[in-house]
């Protein structure tokens, strides 16, 4: 299976200029190709990727307005047109219902201030010792945090909004063999506690409050400053670094948590949470979005496919996991969210609300009855 390995790279000032030129060319090629497609009359056939490459790249280099496209490698320019084709494919499959998940919108023009990227295939890059060599850009210093498991088939150079550069390699890996410690586990996701496990353990999420307060303060400062000024750009960069730090902390925590869940358990059972609907509650929207429940589910499903004999099961969001005693199966009905401990009037067992829900999630995922007796 194919996976991505990402590393930080440190370009020289001259290489930064070259990368910025490359990002600009890729963005222009993508936008020009999208403009051509948008100009096609309704009902007419859309140009193919090969035709778009000929129109935008080959013929564009011959014009005075786009002759500078010849200053960069043609490989990432061709890949940029390929990306547009993938965007249209996802859009049409989403409209027809072939693509799962949320609806994909019509492709939009790329902006200069957003994250920038350029992809090289094997003809455009090579590994020379500990350095990465890119066509027409030279050799780059790479921070190899871990070795590549195999020869990469492509590399994407990324510049995030904080001005950092990364190289993302696509490599092929085989399945991993790890013996599970438990046959199954149920996971109840929450806000104050990120996850309560059916084993009785809690997984606490890192605190984002301090970074969130600083982020909101800089957002207010940015809104008051004059657009286009140097001070506003300085504030925008500091704000981007704060958001990146928060995202990195969350990503690191989710990776470690989901890896442990998949490695230690043969079957992981989760709830099908309607996160988008839950974000409509303006009192809890920030706290819910900070947890990254959707990302955690995606990571679990991806890592389960990488390890032999692992499975992630999703139960319906309408399962009354918080309304049933996990010991005797008695249903006490809906309970206010503020009630954290419940005493079953049938068997006399006192349950922690989240712990009881996690046990019921595991039973529902395994197809067992709620009454274990």
């Amino acid at each position: 299976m194919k996976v991505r390995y990402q590393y930080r790279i440190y370009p020289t000032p001259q290489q930064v200029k070259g990368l910025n030129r490359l990002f600009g060319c890729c963005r222009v090629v993508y936008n020009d190709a999208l403009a051509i497609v948008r100009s096609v009359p309704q009902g007419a056939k859309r140009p193919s990727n090969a035709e778009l490459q000929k129109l935008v790249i080959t013929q564009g280099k011959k014009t005075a307005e786009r002759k500078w496209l010849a200053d960069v490698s043609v490989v990432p320019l061709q890949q940029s047109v390929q990306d547009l084709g993938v965007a249209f494919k996802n859009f049409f499959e989403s409209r027809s219902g072939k693509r799962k998940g949320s609806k994909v919108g019509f492709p939009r023009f790329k902006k200069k201030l957003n994250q920038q990227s350029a992809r090289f295939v094997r003809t455009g890059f090579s590994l020379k010792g500990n350095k990465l060599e890119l066509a027409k850009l030279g050799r780059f210093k790479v921070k190899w945090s871990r070795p590549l498991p195999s020869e990469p088939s492509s590399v994407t150079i990324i510049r995030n909004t904080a001005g950092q550069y990364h190289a993302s390699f696509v490599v092929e890996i085989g399945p991993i063999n790890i013996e599970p410690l438990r046959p199954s586990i149920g996971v109840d996701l929450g806000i104050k506690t990120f996850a309560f496990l059916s084993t009785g353990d809690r997984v606490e999420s890192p605190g984002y409050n301090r970074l969130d307060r600083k982020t909101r303060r800089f957002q207010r400062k940015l809104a008051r400053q004059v657009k286009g000024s140097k001070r506003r750009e300085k504030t925008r960069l500091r704000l981007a670094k704060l958001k990146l730090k928060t995202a990195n902390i969350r990503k690191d925590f989710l990776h470690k948590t989901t890896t442990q869940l998949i490695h230690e358990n043969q079957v992981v059972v989760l709830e099908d949470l309607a996160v988008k609907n839950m974000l409509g509650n303006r009192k809890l929207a920030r706290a819910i979005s900070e947890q990254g429940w959707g990302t955690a589910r995606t990571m679990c499903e991806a890592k389960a496919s990488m390890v032999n004999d692992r499975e992630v099961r999703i139960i319906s969001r309408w399962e009354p996991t918080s309304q049933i005693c996990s010991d005797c199966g008695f249903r006490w009905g809906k309970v206010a969210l503020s009630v954290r401990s419940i005493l079953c009037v049938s068997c006399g067992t006192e349950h922690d609300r989240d712990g009881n829900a996690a046990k019921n999630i595991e039973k529902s995922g395994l197809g067992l009855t709620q009454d274990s007796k």
Side-chain angles (χ1 to χ4, degrees), residues 5-7 127 130 143-152 169 171 173:
Y5 275 54
Q6 185 166 300
Y7 305 88
L127 295 174
N130 290 329
K143 182 68 174 178
W144 297 105
S145 55
R146 52 180 175 168
L148 285 172
S150 61
E151 277 295 312
F169 296 91
V171 294
I173 64 170

mmCIF file with all atom_site columns, all heavy atoms in Angstrom, residues 5-7 127 130 143-152 169 171 173:
data_model
loop_
_atom_site.group_PDB
_atom_site.id
_atom_site.type_symbol
_atom_site.label_atom_id
_atom_site.label_alt_id
_atom_site.label_comp_id
_atom_site.label_asym_id
_atom_site.label_entity_id
_atom_site.label_seq_id
_atom_site.pdbx_PDB_ins_code
_atom_site.Cartn_x
_atom_site.Cartn_y
_atom_site.Cartn_z
_atom_site.occupancy
_atom_site.B_iso_or_equiv
_atom_site.pdbx_formal_charge
_atom_site.auth_seq_id
_atom_site.auth_comp_id
_atom_site.auth_asym_id
_atom_site.auth_atom_id
_atom_site.pdbx_PDB_model_num
ATOM 1   N N   . TYR A 1 5   ? 5.465  9.877  3.672  1.00 0.00 ? 5   TYR A N   1
ATOM 2   C CA  . TYR A 1 5   ? 6.477  10.194 4.682  1.00 0.00 ? 5   TYR A CA  1
ATOM 3   C C   . TYR A 1 5   ? 6.882  11.652 4.471  1.00 0.00 ? 5   TYR A C   1
ATOM 4   O O   . TYR A 1 5   ? 7.359  12.004 3.386  1.00 0.00 ? 5   TYR A O   1
ATOM 5   C CB  . TYR A 1 5   ? 7.694  9.278  4.534  1.00 0.00 ? 5   TYR A CB  1
ATOM 6   C CG  . TYR A 1 5   ? 7.563  7.947  5.236  1.00 0.00 ? 5   TYR A CG  1
ATOM 7   C CD1 . TYR A 1 5   ? 6.479  7.112  4.998  1.00 0.00 ? 5   TYR A CD1 1
ATOM 8   C CD2 . TYR A 1 5   ? 8.522  7.521  6.146  1.00 0.00 ? 5   TYR A CD2 1
ATOM 9   C CE1 . TYR A 1 5   ? 6.361  5.886  5.633  1.00 0.00 ? 5   TYR A CE1 1
ATOM 10  C CE2 . TYR A 1 5   ? 8.409  6.299  6.796  1.00 0.00 ? 5   TYR A CE2 1
ATOM 11  C CZ  . TYR A 1 5   ? 7.322  5.491  6.540  1.00 0.00 ? 5   TYR A CZ  1
ATOM 12  O OH  . TYR A 1 5   ? 7.204  4.282  7.179  1.00 0.00 ? 5   TYR A OH  1
ATOM 13  N N   . GLN A 1 6   ? 6.672  12.469 5.491  1.00 0.00 ? 6   GLN A N   1
ATOM 14  C CA  . GLN A 1 6   ? 6.927  13.905 5.344  1.00 0.00 ? 6   GLN A CA  1
ATOM 15  C C   . GLN A 1 6   ? 8.115  14.340 6.198  1.00 0.00 ? 6   GLN A C   1
ATOM 16  O O   . GLN A 1 6   ? 8.246  13.918 7.343  1.00 0.00 ? 6   GLN A O   1
ATOM 17  C CB  . GLN A 1 6   ? 5.681  14.707 5.741  1.00 0.00 ? 6   GLN A CB  1
ATOM 18  C CG  . GLN A 1 6   ? 5.805  16.201 5.510  1.00 0.00 ? 6   GLN A CG  1
ATOM 19  C CD  . GLN A 1 6   ? 4.465  16.907 5.594  1.00 0.00 ? 6   GLN A CD  1
ATOM 20  O OE1 . GLN A 1 6   ? 3.548  16.631 4.848  1.00 0.00 ? 6   GLN A OE1 1
ATOM 21  N NE2 . GLN A 1 6   ? 4.347  17.824 6.545  1.00 0.00 ? 6   GLN A NE2 1
ATOM 22  N N   . TYR A 1 7   ? 8.961  15.215 5.606  1.00 0.00 ? 7   TYR A N   1
ATOM 23  C CA  . TYR A 1 7   ? 10.174 15.694 6.275  1.00 0.00 ? 7   TYR A CA  1
ATOM 24  C C   . TYR A 1 7   ? 10.294 17.204 6.071  1.00 0.00 ? 7   TYR A C   1
ATOM 25  O O   . TYR A 1 7   ? 9.855  17.748 5.061  1.00 0.00 ? 7   TYR A O   1
ATOM 26  C CB  . TYR A 1 7   ? 11.427 15.009 5.708  1.00 0.00 ? 7   TYR A CB  1
ATOM 27  C CG  . TYR A 1 7   ? 11.390 13.498 5.751  1.00 0.00 ? 7   TYR A CG  1
ATOM 28  C CD1 . TYR A 1 7   ? 10.840 12.771 4.698  1.00 0.00 ? 7   TYR A CD1 1
ATOM 29  C CD2 . TYR A 1 7   ? 11.891 12.801 6.844  1.00 0.00 ? 7   TYR A CD2 1
ATOM 30  C CE1 . TYR A 1 7   ? 10.803 11.385 4.730  1.00 0.00 ? 7   TYR A CE1 1
ATOM 31  C CE2 . TYR A 1 7   ? 11.864 11.415 6.881  1.00 0.00 ? 7   TYR A CE2 1
ATOM 32  C CZ  . TYR A 1 7   ? 11.307 10.714 5.828  1.00 0.00 ? 7   TYR A CZ  1
ATOM 33  O OH  . TYR A 1 7   ? 11.266 9.348  5.861  1.00 0.00 ? 7   TYR A OH  1
ATOM 34  N N   . LEU A 1 127 ? 17.394 11.283 -5.139 1.00 0.00 ? 127 LEU A N   1
ATOM 35  C CA  . LEU A 1 127 ? 18.028 11.353 -3.824 1.00 0.00 ? 127 LEU A CA  1
ATOM 36  C C   . LEU A 1 127 ? 19.525 11.153 -3.992 1.00 0.00 ? 127 LEU A C   1
ATOM 37  O O   . LEU A 1 127 ? 19.972 10.106 -4.472 1.00 0.00 ? 127 LEU A O   1
ATOM 38  C CB  . LEU A 1 127 ? 17.442 10.299 -2.883 1.00 0.00 ? 127 LEU A CB  1
ATOM 39  C CG  . LEU A 1 127 ? 15.959 10.464 -2.524 1.00 0.00 ? 127 LEU A CG  1
ATOM 40  C CD1 . LEU A 1 127 ? 15.470 9.286  -1.703 1.00 0.00 ? 127 LEU A CD1 1
ATOM 41  C CD2 . LEU A 1 127 ? 15.725 11.766 -1.776 1.00 0.00 ? 127 LEU A CD2 1
ATOM 42  N N   . ASN A 1 130 ? 22.262 12.223 1.396  1.00 0.00 ? 130 ASN A N   1
ATOM 43  C CA  . ASN A 1 130 ? 21.274 12.720 2.355  1.00 0.00 ? 130 ASN A CA  1
ATOM 44  C C   . ASN A 1 130 ? 20.527 13.943 1.850  1.00 0.00 ? 130 ASN A C   1
ATOM 45  O O   . ASN A 1 130 ? 19.803 14.580 2.625  1.00 0.00 ? 130 ASN A O   1
ATOM 46  C CB  . ASN A 1 130 ? 21.966 13.072 3.680  1.00 0.00 ? 130 ASN A CB  1
ATOM 47  C CG  . ASN A 1 130 ? 22.440 11.841 4.418  1.00 0.00 ? 130 ASN A CG  1
ATOM 48  O OD1 . ASN A 1 130 ? 21.838 10.770 4.317  1.00 0.00 ? 130 ASN A OD1 1
ATOM 49  N ND2 . ASN A 1 130 ? 23.534 11.973 5.147  1.00 0.00 ? 130 ASN A ND2 1
ATOM 50  N N   . LYS A 1 143 ? 15.809 17.167 6.772  1.00 0.00 ? 143 LYS A N   1
ATOM 51  C CA  . LYS A 1 143 ? 15.887 16.671 8.144  1.00 0.00 ? 143 LYS A CA  1
ATOM 52  C C   . LYS A 1 143 ? 15.264 15.273 8.181  1.00 0.00 ? 143 LYS A C   1
ATOM 53  O O   . LYS A 1 143 ? 14.040 15.100 8.309  1.00 0.00 ? 143 LYS A O   1
ATOM 54  C CB  . LYS A 1 143 ? 15.145 17.612 9.101  1.00 0.00 ? 143 LYS A CB  1
ATOM 55  C CG  . LYS A 1 143 ? 15.209 17.211 10.558 1.00 0.00 ? 143 LYS A CG  1
ATOM 56  C CD  . LYS A 1 143 ? 16.610 17.340 11.112 1.00 0.00 ? 143 LYS A CD  1
ATOM 57  C CE  . LYS A 1 143 ? 16.619 17.061 12.611 1.00 0.00 ? 143 LYS A CE  1
ATOM 58  N NZ  . LYS A 1 143 ? 17.967 17.134 13.182 1.00 0.00 ? 143 LYS A NZ  1
ATOM 59  N N   . TRP A 1 144 ? 16.115 14.240 8.049  1.00 0.00 ? 144 TRP A N   1
ATOM 60  C CA  . TRP A 1 144 ? 15.615 12.869 7.982  1.00 0.00 ? 144 TRP A CA  1
ATOM 61  C C   . TRP A 1 144 ? 15.285 12.379 9.395  1.00 0.00 ? 144 TRP A C   1
ATOM 62  O O   . TRP A 1 144 ? 16.130 11.850 10.102 1.00 0.00 ? 144 TRP A O   1
ATOM 63  C CB  . TRP A 1 144 ? 16.652 11.957 7.330  1.00 0.00 ? 144 TRP A CB  1
ATOM 64  C CG  . TRP A 1 144 ? 16.959 12.318 5.909  1.00 0.00 ? 144 TRP A CG  1
ATOM 65  C CD1 . TRP A 1 144 ? 18.065 12.943 5.441  1.00 0.00 ? 144 TRP A CD1 1
ATOM 66  C CD2 . TRP A 1 144 ? 16.129 12.090 4.768  1.00 0.00 ? 144 TRP A CD2 1
ATOM 67  N NE1 . TRP A 1 144 ? 17.992 13.122 4.082  1.00 0.00 ? 144 TRP A NE1 1
ATOM 68  C CE2 . TRP A 1 144 ? 16.816 12.601 3.639  1.00 0.00 ? 144 TRP A CE2 1
ATOM 69  C CE3 . TRP A 1 144 ? 14.877 11.491 4.582  1.00 0.00 ? 144 TRP A CE3 1
ATOM 70  C CZ2 . TRP A 1 144 ? 16.279 12.540 2.356  1.00 0.00 ? 144 TRP A CZ2 1
ATOM 71  C CZ3 . TRP A 1 144 ? 14.357 11.432 3.307  1.00 0.00 ? 144 TRP A CZ3 1
ATOM 72  C CH2 . TRP A 1 144 ? 15.048 11.943 2.210  1.00 0.00 ? 144 TRP A CH2 1
ATOM 73  N N   . SER A 1 145 ? 14.046 12.533 9.809  1.00 0.00 ? 145 SER A N   1
ATOM 74  C CA  . SER A 1 145 ? 13.626 12.099 11.142 1.00 0.00 ? 145 SER A CA  1
ATOM 75  C C   . SER A 1 145 ? 13.471 10.582 11.226 1.00 0.00 ? 145 SER A C   1
ATOM 76  O O   . SER A 1 145 ? 13.509 10.005 12.314 1.00 0.00 ? 145 SER A O   1
ATOM 77  C CB  . SER A 1 145 ? 12.311 12.771 11.518 1.00 0.00 ? 145 SER A CB  1
ATOM 78  O OG  . SER A 1 145 ? 11.332 12.527 10.534 1.00 0.00 ? 145 SER A OG  1
ATOM 79  N N   . ARG A 1 146 ? 13.306 9.912  10.078 1.00 0.00 ? 146 ARG A N   1
ATOM 80  C CA  . ARG A 1 146 ? 13.204 8.457  10.011 1.00 0.00 ? 146 ARG A CA  1
ATOM 81  C C   . ARG A 1 146 ? 13.575 8.041  8.588  1.00 0.00 ? 146 ARG A C   1
ATOM 82  O O   . ARG A 1 146 ? 13.389 8.820  7.639  1.00 0.00 ? 146 ARG A O   1
ATOM 83  C CB  . ARG A 1 146 ? 11.786 7.973  10.353 1.00 0.00 ? 146 ARG A CB  1
ATOM 84  C CG  . ARG A 1 146 ? 10.703 8.658  9.543  1.00 0.00 ? 146 ARG A CG  1
ATOM 85  C CD  . ARG A 1 146 ? 9.342  8.169  9.906  1.00 0.00 ? 146 ARG A CD  1
ATOM 86  N NE  . ARG A 1 146 ? 8.314  8.923  9.209  1.00 0.00 ? 146 ARG A NE  1
ATOM 87  C CZ  . ARG A 1 146 ? 7.032  8.564  9.165  1.00 0.00 ? 146 ARG A CZ  1
ATOM 88  N NH1 . ARG A 1 146 ? 6.644  7.469  9.771  1.00 0.00 ? 146 ARG A NH1 1
ATOM 89  N NH2 . ARG A 1 146 ? 6.148  9.305  8.528  1.00 0.00 ? 146 ARG A NH2 1
ATOM 90  N N   . PRO A 1 147 ? 14.080 6.831  8.402  1.00 0.00 ? 147 PRO A N   1
ATOM 91  C CA  . PRO A 1 147 ? 14.482 6.404  7.058  1.00 0.00 ? 147 PRO A CA  1
ATOM 92  C C   . PRO A 1 147 ? 13.269 6.078  6.192  1.00 0.00 ? 147 PRO A C   1
ATOM 93  O O   . PRO A 1 147 ? 12.216 5.658  6.689  1.00 0.00 ? 147 PRO A O   1
ATOM 94  C CB  . PRO A 1 147 ? 15.334 5.159  7.321  1.00 0.00 ? 147 PRO A CB  1
ATOM 95  C CG  . PRO A 1 147 ? 14.830 4.634  8.623  1.00 0.00 ? 147 PRO A CG  1
ATOM 96  C CD  . PRO A 1 147 ? 14.419 5.833  9.437  1.00 0.00 ? 147 PRO A CD  1
ATOM 97  N N   . LEU A 1 148 ? 13.414 6.260  4.888  1.00 0.00 ? 148 LEU A N   1
ATOM 98  C CA  . LEU A 1 148 ? 12.364 5.886  3.948  1.00 0.00 ? 148 LEU A CA  1
ATOM 99  C C   . LEU A 1 148 ? 12.325 4.362  3.825  1.00 0.00 ? 148 LEU A C   1
ATOM 100 O O   . LEU A 1 148 ? 13.365 3.720  3.677  1.00 0.00 ? 148 LEU A O   1
ATOM 101 C CB  . LEU A 1 148 ? 12.625 6.510  2.577  1.00 0.00 ? 148 LEU A CB  1
ATOM 102 C CG  . LEU A 1 148 ? 12.352 8.013  2.434  1.00 0.00 ? 148 LEU A CG  1
ATOM 103 C CD1 . LEU A 1 148 ? 12.851 8.507  1.091  1.00 0.00 ? 148 LEU A CD1 1
ATOM 104 C CD2 . LEU A 1 148 ? 10.871 8.311  2.597  1.00 0.00 ? 148 LEU A CD2 1
ATOM 105 N N   . PRO A 1 149 ? 11.143 3.743  3.879  1.00 0.00 ? 149 PRO A N   1
ATOM 106 C CA  . PRO A 1 149 ? 11.070 2.279  3.803  1.00 0.00 ? 149 PRO A CA  1
ATOM 107 C C   . PRO A 1 149 ? 11.339 1.724  2.412  1.00 0.00 ? 149 PRO A C   1
ATOM 108 O O   . PRO A 1 149 ? 11.678 0.547  2.270  1.00 0.00 ? 149 PRO A O   1
ATOM 109 C CB  . PRO A 1 149 ? 9.636  1.974  4.244  1.00 0.00 ? 149 PRO A CB  1
ATOM 110 C CG  . PRO A 1 149 ? 8.878  3.207  3.904  1.00 0.00 ? 149 PRO A CG  1
ATOM 111 C CD  . PRO A 1 149 ? 9.829  4.350  4.089  1.00 0.00 ? 149 PRO A CD  1
ATOM 112 N N   . SER A 1 150 ? 11.158 2.535  1.366  1.00 0.00 ? 150 SER A N   1
ATOM 113 C CA  . SER A 1 150 ? 11.382 2.072  -0.002 1.00 0.00 ? 150 SER A CA  1
ATOM 114 C C   . SER A 1 150 ? 11.632 3.288  -0.890 1.00 0.00 ? 150 SER A C   1
ATOM 115 O O   . SER A 1 150 ? 11.584 4.429  -0.430 1.00 0.00 ? 150 SER A O   1
ATOM 116 C CB  . SER A 1 150 ? 10.170 1.269  -0.507 1.00 0.00 ? 150 SER A CB  1
ATOM 117 O OG  . SER A 1 150 ? 9.006  2.091  -0.522 1.00 0.00 ? 150 SER A OG  1
ATOM 118 N N   . GLU A 1 151 ? 11.888 3.031  -2.168 1.00 0.00 ? 151 GLU A N   1
ATOM 119 C CA  . GLU A 1 151 ? 12.127 4.113  -3.119 1.00 0.00 ? 151 GLU A CA  1
ATOM 120 C C   . GLU A 1 151 ? 10.843 4.907  -3.334 1.00 0.00 ? 151 GLU A C   1
ATOM 121 O O   . GLU A 1 151 ? 9.798  4.332  -3.640 1.00 0.00 ? 151 GLU A O   1
ATOM 122 C CB  . GLU A 1 151 ? 12.605 3.553  -4.459 1.00 0.00 ? 151 GLU A CB  1
ATOM 123 C CG  . GLU A 1 151 ? 14.089 3.261  -4.530 1.00 0.00 ? 151 GLU A CG  1
ATOM 124 C CD  . GLU A 1 151 ? 14.949 4.517  -4.409 1.00 0.00 ? 151 GLU A CD  1
ATOM 125 O OE1 . GLU A 1 151 ? 14.660 5.518  -5.104 1.00 0.00 ? 151 GLU A OE1 1
ATOM 126 O OE2 . GLU A 1 151 ? 15.882 4.505  -3.607 1.00 0.00 ? 151 GLU A OE2 1
ATOM 127 N N   . PRO A 1 152 ? 10.892 6.222  -3.194 1.00 0.00 ? 152 PRO A N   1
ATOM 128 C CA  . PRO A 1 152 ? 9.675  7.024  -3.400 1.00 0.00 ? 152 PRO A CA  1
ATOM 129 C C   . PRO A 1 152 ? 9.310  7.124  -4.873 1.00 0.00 ? 152 PRO A C   1
ATOM 130 O O   . PRO A 1 152 ? 10.180 7.184  -5.743 1.00 0.00 ? 152 PRO A O   1
ATOM 131 C CB  . PRO A 1 152 ? 10.056 8.388  -2.825 1.00 0.00 ? 152 PRO A CB  1
ATOM 132 C CG  . PRO A 1 152 ? 11.539 8.447  -2.929 1.00 0.00 ? 152 PRO A CG  1
ATOM 133 C CD  . PRO A 1 152 ? 12.041 7.048  -2.769 1.00 0.00 ? 152 PRO A CD  1
ATOM 134 N N   . PHE A 1 169 ? 7.016  12.454 0.645  1.00 0.00 ? 169 PHE A N   1
ATOM 135 C CA  . PHE A 1 169 ? 7.335  11.358 -0.277 1.00 0.00 ? 169 PHE A CA  1
ATOM 136 C C   . PHE A 1 169 ? 6.212  10.323 -0.265 1.00 0.00 ? 169 PHE A C   1
ATOM 137 O O   . PHE A 1 169 ? 5.670  9.997  0.795  1.00 0.00 ? 169 PHE A O   1
ATOM 138 C CB  . PHE A 1 169 ? 8.653  10.679 0.116  1.00 0.00 ? 169 PHE A CB  1
ATOM 139 C CG  . PHE A 1 169 ? 9.860  11.563 0.021  1.00 0.00 ? 169 PHE A CG  1
ATOM 140 C CD1 . PHE A 1 169 ? 10.281 12.310 1.113  1.00 0.00 ? 169 PHE A CD1 1
ATOM 141 C CD2 . PHE A 1 169 ? 10.583 11.637 -1.156 1.00 0.00 ? 169 PHE A CD2 1
ATOM 142 C CE1 . PHE A 1 169 ? 11.400 13.115 1.035  1.00 0.00 ? 169 PHE A CE1 1
ATOM 143 C CE2 . PHE A 1 169 ? 11.708 12.441 -1.248 1.00 0.00 ? 169 PHE A CE2 1
ATOM 144 C CZ  . PHE A 1 169 ? 12.113 13.183 -0.149 1.00 0.00 ? 169 PHE A CZ  1
ATOM 145 N N   . VAL A 1 171 ? 5.611  6.452  -0.763 1.00 0.00 ? 171 VAL A N   1
ATOM 146 C CA  . VAL A 1 171 ? 6.384  5.207  -0.775 1.00 0.00 ? 171 VAL A CA  1
ATOM 147 C C   . VAL A 1 171 ? 5.433  4.024  -0.641 1.00 0.00 ? 171 VAL A C   1
ATOM 148 O O   . VAL A 1 171 ? 4.291  4.168  -0.195 1.00 0.00 ? 171 VAL A O   1
ATOM 149 C CB  . VAL A 1 171 ? 7.424  5.182  0.368  1.00 0.00 ? 171 VAL A CB  1
ATOM 150 C CG1 . VAL A 1 171 ? 8.493  6.238  0.153  1.00 0.00 ? 171 VAL A CG1 1
ATOM 151 C CG2 . VAL A 1 171 ? 6.757  5.368  1.725  1.00 0.00 ? 171 VAL A CG2 1
ATOM 152 N N   . ILE A 1 173 ? 4.702  0.378  1.125  1.00 0.00 ? 173 ILE A N   1
ATOM 153 C CA  . ILE A 1 173 ? 5.050  -0.430 2.290  1.00 0.00 ? 173 ILE A CA  1
ATOM 154 C C   . ILE A 1 173 ? 4.183  -1.683 2.309  1.00 0.00 ? 173 ILE A C   1
ATOM 155 O O   . ILE A 1 173 ? 3.099  -1.728 1.710  1.00 0.00 ? 173 ILE A O   1
ATOM 156 C CB  . ILE A 1 173 ? 4.871  0.342  3.616  1.00 0.00 ? 173 ILE A CB  1
ATOM 157 C CG1 . ILE A 1 173 ? 3.404  0.703  3.848  1.00 0.00 ? 173 ILE A CG1 1
ATOM 158 C CG2 . ILE A 1 173 ? 5.738  1.577  3.651  1.00 0.00 ? 173 ILE A CG2 1
ATOM 159 C CD1 . ILE A 1 173 ? 3.111  1.242  5.223  1.00 0.00 ? 173 ILE A CD1 1
#
